[in-house]
Amino acid sequence: MICYDISDKFPAPQEGRNYFVAIGLEGSANKLGVGIMLQQLPTKHTPVPRAQVLCNIRDTYITPPGEGFLPRDTARHHRNWVVRLIKRSLEESVLPAKMSGEVENRPIRVNDIDCICFTQGPGMGAPLQSVVLAARAISLMWKKPLVGVNHCIGHIEMGREITGALNPVVLYVSGGNTQVIAYSHQRYRIFGETLDIAVGNCLDRFARTLKIPNYPSPGYNIEQLAKNGKNFVELPYTVKGMDLSMSGILAYVDNLANEIFNEKSNSKLKYTTTGQKITPEDLCYSLQETIFAMLVEITERAMAHVNTNQVLIVGGVGCNERLQEMMKTMVVDRQGEIFATDESFCIDNGIMIAQAGLLSYREGITTNIKSSVCTQRFRTDEVFIKWRTN
Amino acid sequence: MAENIIKQAHAYTANIPLALISQGAEALVFTSPVHPYLPSPPTCAPDYILKYRPPKPYRHPVLDAQLTKHRTLSEARLLHKLALLDIPAPRVIHVNPKHGLLWMNNVAGPHGFSVKQWVWDIELATAPNSALRESVMKANMLQIGALIAKLHLNDIVHGDLTTSNIMIRPKMAAADASVPVPPHNILNPNLEPVLIDFGLGSHSALAEDKAVDIYVLERAVESTHPVNSETYKTWLLDGYVQEYERGGKGGKIRIKEVLRKLDEVRQRGRKRSMVG
Amino acid sequence: MSSLEYVFPQYPQAPVSISLFENVTNSSELREGLLAGNQCYNYAFIDAANVVSQEHLLAAIYRAVSAREEGEKMRTKNISSEIVFCMSPSNNIMDALKRFGISDTTTSVVVVKADPTHKANTDLVTNELHSLVRGDMLSVNGKNLQRFTDLNMVKKNYKVPGTFNFEDRDKLSSVVVGSVCLRGW
């Protein structure tokens, strides 16, 4: 059970400033991100100021083709890079003179920072742990409070901030998560989700079967191959009410790929109904068409259920242009709006942790160092969204 | 968009008047006073329902055609099974899976309404905790629970149990046109429940799936009838359990498993625990 | 007594003639004529013992006629055999024609004309049939169509479980209509 300290006093910015600064550390999977976010206090002139990204840097642990990333190695990667990234983030962040009231722009200093935000979960145990340790270390060194952040909430709040979407249905799709979320009564409620593996996981594992390179990301490479697919291969379609299941599709398509690679095999499955040989491109194409159609379907169901016509896509798989295109078709048909962010925010990053963490911090929420444990399981709807009203 | 879809539905049903009553994510539902092949008396009663699953342009056409066909057929087959089991539900009149069309009878009839509406009407017309309210509602709620149990005992799961998907109507007199239909009376205690919308229904022997079915209904009752939801949920579940126990020893054992799963599902809120 | 001319709302251009006979004495002759492909017998002959209700009969006719009007391929040779086939819950054509069509022991029969080239002329049809069928014509209505139902035959042909309430004609009708609709899908 995640514990927070909730103060009934809202913190004030330092030394009579009118802004807050937070550093965010993310490492729940193979991307290590550090971000520094600035949030201004509302003024009469700007009642809803946009948050300012001072820095958003990332280093991704990439494995050779055919291999996935293991927790132990990933954790080692994060430990190797976190100090460098934190130092670099301070060097590269510029505090604008018009914010600080000083004569000129200058780099962010340790003392400028109000709180240290870190991904508390969900995610892979060892990598999460590496980042928590770094967060605790700088918290003690710099004497700044900690704020634990739910990774999914990070994606949602960053998506809302960047796109300006007011109250969309959120499709959160990544290597580790697949959820359809809508805000209600101070919770991000999960309307639909995967019953087994995440979409990104399915794509990543299929990339391994096909021995596709993992640089820049396996999903990106599948997307490119899919563009050259010509034949649509029928795959199992497994939407169950508001939820979906992907392990069956993965098993099926893995098996099909193996048949195709196996030259000795004479399986009929290798050929289309017109006798053409099915290619890996065809499989990538068919896999995307099928699982993305499933995602669009459960998103549409959630939209009908909560009676909204805005959709926001967040998470690494949200970068996929085909998914964005399909979702747009559905949303436009319903006279709605679709919102998506670019790579810097779709893919796991530190700035989203800073953003969500700072929103919590300003409500008086911090994480006591004793409670700063990380957890692999941390449901999106467990978090009390204090910063939104009804 | 919607206009084109509605136009297409009309194109498939030339000369048959259609009135749109609902537009879900997956299908449009129309009523009609005209039957596709039976002689229709010149009343304007919306006795027939057409459910139309339009194509989804975002899907690959091969996938789309397959899904439309499969889902329409699946629902029709389920309704047919229910007819064989004599479980109150719409009956299939005609199906065209290729075009996503399913014709069925309108079980609400001239004096039927959804349980959701019925509960609201009674709450308005009677005093809270009154003997009158209980006398009208309790027996019917027990019956609704029993109906769901009947479904589950036959290993069929509804998939979307809400108080809008359960209709309630005066008990039909024997099929004899000479007996006049009783006038609409909200306080009529002699009602019978009918389940509708089996679009998400399926066959399942798993206690977990049945528990989820009940849980979804419980949540629906809580959100649409918050004030007295505890009472209603109790009556519904009592009716459900009693029907199971009427099924002899087999029923008595199976209900234990379903109730156990229901507890689990309530704890974790239907959703599995995440693994990051 | 005359044949009923019936029009489906969607297909006013394709009316059908429906006739009902009881006390039929020349079933064998009719059957042979059909098998021989004799053009005089270009009608759908359905053993009335199989008919549960008006809804049932019309469901089968509608399925055949709507398929033809929508341009779909017939499974059988012509619309007449197609109508008989549509009474069946299974895809086996020969079996369907045998069970639901006219047999040597048929004593009551429903006769349907749905030929598009035949100008719907009720009197013509009635006269033709009177010369073909040796039996007593009845008016075609819900009540008469239920008179000849052989519940055991229906139970067997539609594989309705014994536990079903055969007394309730409406419920039985829904079940067989469902079978008619779902056949082949």
Side-chain angles (χ1 to χ4, degrees), chain C residues 111-182:
Chain C
V111 190
V112 185
K113 184 87 179 175
D115 189 335
T117 61
H118 170 107
K119 282 268 185 275
N121 183 334
T122 323
D123 290 334
L124 196 69
V125 170
T126 308
N127 289 338
E128 252 181 51
L129 284 179
H130 273 302
S131 62
L132 274 176
V133 180
R134 209 140 301 153
D136 304 323
M137 202 187 233
L138 292 172
S139 2
V140 177
N141 57 45
K143 203 153 136 249
N144 283 345
L145 283 171
Q146 292 191 5
R147 275 175 59 180
F148 309 100
T149 317
D150 178 342
L151 290 175
N152 280 323
M153 193 185 232
V154 169
K155 178 171 165 208
K156 197 173 109 199
N157 284 340
Y158 286 97
K159 297 195 173 58
V160 184
T163 49
F164 191 83
N165 177 11
F166 287 89
E167 300 307 307
D168 191 321
R169 192 56 72 97
D170 283 343
K171 290 188 179 167
L172 184 61
S173 184
S174 296
V175 166
V176 296
V177 165
S179 296
V180 165
C181 289
L182 289 170

Side-chain angles (χ1 to χ4, degrees), chain B residues 12-15 35-39 73 77 80 83-84 86 91-95 97 175, chain C residues 6 8-10 12 54-55 58-59 62 161 164 170-171 174-175 177-179 181-182 185:
Chain B
Y12 285 138
T13 54
N15 308 321
H35 190 290
Y37 51 84
L38 273 182
L73 206 45
R77 286 187 174 133
H80 183 228
L84 272 167
D86 198 12
R91 302 298 180 221
V92 176
I93 286 174
H94 180 69
V95 65
Chain C
Y6 198 77
F8 297 116
Q10 288 165 272
Q54 182 184 47
E55 185 191 16
L58 289 173
Y62 176 74
F164 191 83
D170 283 343
K171 290 188 179 167
S174 296
V175 166
V177 165
S179 296
C181 289
L182 289 170
W185 282 111

Side-chain angles (χ1 to χ4, degrees), chain B residues 40-72:
Chain B
S40 307
T43 66
C44 284
D47 286 336
Y48 312 108
I49 297 228
L50 172 66
K51 184 162 174 179
Y52 173 45
R53 285 179 168 82
K56 293 286 186 185
Y58 67 82
R59 295 200 277 238
H60 190 285
V62 170
L63 176 60
D64 188 54
Q66 203 208 26
L67 278 174
T68 300
K69 178 175 154 192
H70 175 79
R71 287 179 176 176
T72 304

Side-chain angles (χ1 to χ4, degrees), chain A residues 47-324:
Chain A
V48 188
R50 303 313 297 266
Q52 294 176 46
V53 176
L54 300 186
C55 160
N56 185 20
I57 54 180
R58 179 169 59 213
D59 192 86
T60 307
Y61 172 54
I62 298 190
T63 45
E67 290 176 37
F69 53 90
L70 295 170
R72 190 179 48 185
D73 303 325
T74 311
R76 189 190 308 131
H77 164 268
H78 291 355
R79 288 196 304 272
N80 283 341
W81 279 85
V82 69
V83 173
R84 259 177 285 195
L85 278 187
I86 294 176
K87 278 190 178 160
R88 224 181 88 199
S89 73
L90 291 171
E91 284 157 19
E92 291 181 8
S93 306
V94 176
L95 181 61
K98 62 178 179 186
M99 279 286 112
S100 62
E102 296 167 22
V103 173
E104 46 181 34
N105 298 347
R106 61 161 177 79
I108 283 280
R109 292 193 280 259
V110 163
N111 219 35
D112 293 320
I113 293 175
D114 291 294
C115 61
I116 294 160
C117 314
F118 66 97
T119 307
Q120 205 160 11
M124 297 169 91
L128 277 174
Q129 189 95 330
S130 303
V131 172
V132 172
L133 286 169
R136 285 185 206 147
I138 55 177
S139 166
L140 289 170
M141 271 167 53
W142 298 351
K143 299 190 179 40
K144 303 287 180 180
L146 282 172
V147 183
V149 176
N150 176 305
H151 181 90
C152 317
I153 307 277
H155 275 292
I156 298 173
E157 289 302 343
M158 199 64 214
R160 284 182 64 231
E161 176 62 40
I162 289 294
T163 64
L166 286 173
N167 199 10
V169 160
V170 179
L171 174 65
Y172 171 31
V173 272
S174 69
N177 296 285
T178 296
Q179 297 171 6
V180 173
I181 294 157
Y183 173 77
S184 163
H185 292 78
Q186 263 133 351
R187 299 272 161 180
Y188 284 114
R189 300 195 188 267
I190 302 175
F191 272 82
E193 62 187 320
T194 177
L195 296 172
D196 38 58
I197 60 177
V199 169
N201 193 248
C202 180
L203 291 168
D204 289 351
R205 281 158 71 171
F206 187 57
R208 272 180 251 160
T209 305
L210 294 182
K211 300 212 179 10
I212 293 173
N214 289 321
Y215 179 81
S217 78
Y220 177 81
N221 291 328
I222 289 193
E223 183 178 357
Q224 303 319 305
L225 281 176
K227 288 179 181 167
N228 291 324
K230 290 189 192 47
N231 298 303
F232 179 74
V233 179
E234 280 179 35
L235 303 175
Y237 185 93
T238 38
V239 166
K240 297 176 182 172
M242 299 279 278
D243 299 320
L244 41 71
S245 156
M246 256 158 311
S247 51
I249 302 176
L250 178 60
Y252 187 90
V253 78
D254 270 348
N255 184 49
L256 201 45
N258 288 328
E259 290 287 340
I260 290 174
F261 288 143
N262 182 0
E263 277 153 16
K264 298 202 198 105
S265 154
N266 282 325
S267 167
K268 267 197 297 195
L269 292 172
K270 286 165 80 157
Y271 301 91
T272 64
T273 45
T274 51
Q276 289 187 288
K277 191 147 188 252
I278 297 174
T279 63
E281 287 82 355
D282 293 337
L283 290 180
C284 290
Y285 170 62
S286 309
L287 182 61
Q288 283 198 164
E289 292 300 303
T290 306
I291 59 185
F292 292 167
M294 288 164 48
L295 292 174
V296 174
E297 177 172 349
I298 61 172
T299 306
E300 187 169 22
R301 293 223 176 139
M303 286 169 80
H305 207 86
V306 301
N307 215 359
T308 177
N309 65 359
Q310 287 186 329
V311 171
L312 167 65
I313 310 181
V314 300
V317 183
C319 294
N320 188 304
E321 286 171 358
R322 181 62 189 137
L323 173 60
Q324 289 179 12

